[in-house]
């Protein structure tokens, strides 16, 4: 028995860091948005009981370090099955980009195995299990538009009243999320998002005001080190983006557009400069099963 799933990327329409907790984690407030850019995961039952990972890219480890492997092992232990799985990852989401590529793969594995191993778990059960793998995993399972608080695992859905086009552009290097948080001095944050306003604009479908209110406090850490981040933002704005910020801890920058033609032109221009540029759209659900 097998299943094929879309494992979708996310962007952050805003990120605020409110403080550091005793355990070293940061207390955040982020507005998360699923986008159409996705990896394809094919999962087949492995009668030997083993979990195997294969991918069409050498950019990710294909062994127990892969978060998809960790997700499968967690599910296997949780339900106490002797079944196994072959997992094949077709990577399209840039790696180490701030788009939760790994977390969304974990989300797809939990969703897929729940079906093919007939575990009978609810979406909430899967989300509770997912947080053990990473703070973004529960969001990636459910998807859509959400306010994420705590370490990113406390989710409140936001009722978005219109979709928009998104151009994402990743320069040719990756950034470690851990490093960015390590270098963040909360007392030095100069500009914070007004998260309530961001939510209000999303609910009212006021894309222009939303675009103008997007702020990511992690940008100042990543931008200081890599000037190309500011450069991409400028290019996005020059190409008629309504607003442009960095997603996650970077280095990917995205721009939002109401108009498809503008988004399409921006994609072509940015792609001529940075190969990993994609045109996509906001989506209302996370992991999607499309075969099986
Ligand atoms: P986030 O936005 O959640 O911080 P990210 O997009 O910045 O995530 P990922 O693409 O998830 O980062 O990759 C981070 C690291 O995880 C990389 O070093 C990568 O090698 C490793 N990794 C392990 N498994 C996967 C996977 N299935 N897909 C992508 N990266 C993986």
């Amino acid at each position: 028995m097998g299943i094929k799933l879309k494992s979708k990327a996310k962007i952050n329409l805003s990120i605020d860091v409110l403080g550091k907790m005793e355990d070293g984690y940061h207390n955040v407030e982020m507005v998360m948005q699923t986008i159409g850019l996705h990896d394809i995961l094919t999962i087949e039952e492995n009668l030997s009981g083993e979990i195997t990972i294969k991918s069409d890219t050498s950019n990710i480890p294909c062994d127990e370090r892969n978060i998809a492997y960790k997700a499968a092992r967690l599910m296997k232990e949780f339900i106490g099955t002797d079944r196994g799985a072959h997992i094949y990852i077709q990577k399209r989401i840039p790696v180490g980009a701030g788009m939760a590529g790994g977390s969304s793969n974990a989300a797809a594995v939990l969703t897929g195995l729940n079906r093919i191993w007939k575990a009978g778990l609810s979406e909430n059960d899967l989300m509770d299990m997912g947080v053990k793998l990473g703070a973004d995993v529960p969001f990636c399972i459910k998807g859509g538009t959400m306010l994420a608080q705590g370490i990113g695992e406390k989710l409140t859905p936001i009722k978005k009243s219109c979709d928009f086009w998104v151009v994402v552009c990743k320069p040719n290097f990756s950034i470690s999320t851990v490093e960015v948080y390590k270098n963040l001095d909360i007392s030095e944050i100069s500009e914070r998002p007004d998260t309530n306003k961001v939510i209000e604009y999303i609910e009212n479908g006021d894309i222009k005001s939303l675009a103008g209110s997007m702020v990511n406090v992690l940008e100042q850490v990543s931008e200081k080190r890599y000037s190309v981040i500011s450069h991409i933002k400028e290019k996005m704005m020059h190409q008629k983006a309504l607003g442009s910020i960095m997603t996650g801890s970077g280095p990917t920058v995205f721009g939002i557009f109401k108009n498809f033609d503008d988004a399409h032109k921006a994609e072509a221009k940015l792609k001529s400069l940075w190969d990993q540029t994609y045109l996509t759209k906001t989506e209302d659900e996370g992991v999607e099963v499309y075969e099986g």
Side-chain angles (χ1 to χ4, degrees):
M1 189 177 172
I3 194 167
K4 211 167 182 178
L5 308 109
K6 279 189 192 175
S7 160
K8 295 180 201 163
K10 60 90 182 160
I11 52 171
N12 297 97
L13 298 174
S14 68
I15 298 186
D16 200 1
V17 179
L18 305 176
K20 199 171 176 178
M21 296 184 277
E22 270 169 23
D23 55 12
Y25 282 102
H26 286 83
N27 183 17
V28 297
E29 198 163 69
M30 315 188 280
V31 176
M32 319 275 286
Q33 174 63 58
T34 303
I35 54 173
L37 179 65
H38 63 275
D39 295 337
I40 299 169
L41 263 72
T42 310
I43 310 178
E44 309 244 319
E45 189 160 0
N46 180 357
L47 296 173
S48 78
E50 230 191 316
I51 297 160
T52 66
I53 306 282
K54 281 196 176 141
S55 176
D56 59 354
T57 175
S58 53
N59 287 343
I60 55 170
C62 282
D63 51 25
E64 62 285 345
R65 288 169 297 168
N66 195 302
I67 189 167
Y69 180 93
K70 292 179 188 166
R73 190 177 51 196
L74 183 65
M75 175 68 106
K76 190 171 157 76
E77 283 166 6
F78 187 81
I79 63 170
T81 182
D82 53 9
R83 296 175 183 214
H86 292 294
I87 301 169
Y88 182 63
I89 304 171
Q90 285 169 270
K91 256 292 156 209
R92 294 181 183 171
I93 305 171
V95 176
M99 287 195 279
S103 302
S104 89
N105 289 175
V109 167
L110 296 180
T111 307
L113 289 179
N114 187 37
R115 292 243 194 148
I116 66 169
W117 286 348
K118 300 192 174 63
L121 301 173
S122 68
E123 190 173 62
N124 281 339
D125 293 335
L126 296 179
M127 288 164 77
D128 288 344
M129 199 187 300
V131 75
K132 298 190 182 116
L133 298 160
D136 286 346
V137 178
F139 170 77
C140 290
I141 292 173
K142 202 169 174 58
T145 315
M146 299 226 198
L147 171 66
Q149 293 167 298
I151 58 162
E153 87 296 6
K154 281 185 207 145
L155 299 173
T156 312
I158 298 169
K159 220 176 162 341
K160 173 167 59 56
S161 50
C162 69
D163 285 306
F164 45 86
W165 297 97
V166 180
V167 174
V168 292
C169 174
K170 179 182 174 284
N172 208 11
F173 60 91
S174 294
I175 294 186
S176 144
T177 306
V178 176
E179 283 302 310
V180 172
Y181 273 102
K182 228 190 260 171
N183 290 316
L184 176 73
D185 182 347
I186 296 174
S187 65
E188 277 190 5
I189 295 175
S190 51
E191 193 193 8
R192 290 178 180 279
D194 182 338
T195 308
N196 289 333
K197 281 265 177 245
V198 171
I199 295 170
E200 188 187 313
Y201 296 140
I202 293 170
E203 286 173 343
N204 295 340
D206 183 352
I207 301 176
K208 218 166 171 192
S209 301
L210 165 66
S213 63
M214 299 188 305
V215 177
N216 177 352
V217 299
L218 302 179
E219 218 173 67
Q220 64 187 67
V221 179
S222 303
E223 233 174 14
K224 209 187 280 173
R225 220 167 136 207
Y226 304 102
S227 58
V228 66
I229 293 172
S230 329
H231 190 48
I232 299 175
K233 276 168 39 183
E234 278 162 26
K235 281 269 181 250
M236 285 277 187
M237 297 310 286
H238 193 69
Q239 292 298 317
K240 297 195 186 156
L242 297 173
S244 176
I245 61 167
M246 185 183 87
T247 180
S249 50
T252 307
V253 167
F254 69 88
I256 68 173
F257 299 79
K258 196 167 185 173
N259 181 302
F260 173 77
D261 288 338
D262 289 342
H264 191 55
K265 278 186 199 139
E267 183 213 8
K269 177 69 193 168
L270 276 106
K271 203 170 174 55
S272 69
L273 300 167
W274 295 281
D275 188 44
Q276 292 185 85
T277 300
Y278 306 88
L279 170 57
T280 185
K281 208 174 184 196
T282 50
E283 296 242 335
D284 293 334
E285 61 177 319
V287 177
E288 216 177 292
V289 177
Y290 67 98
E291 241 175 63

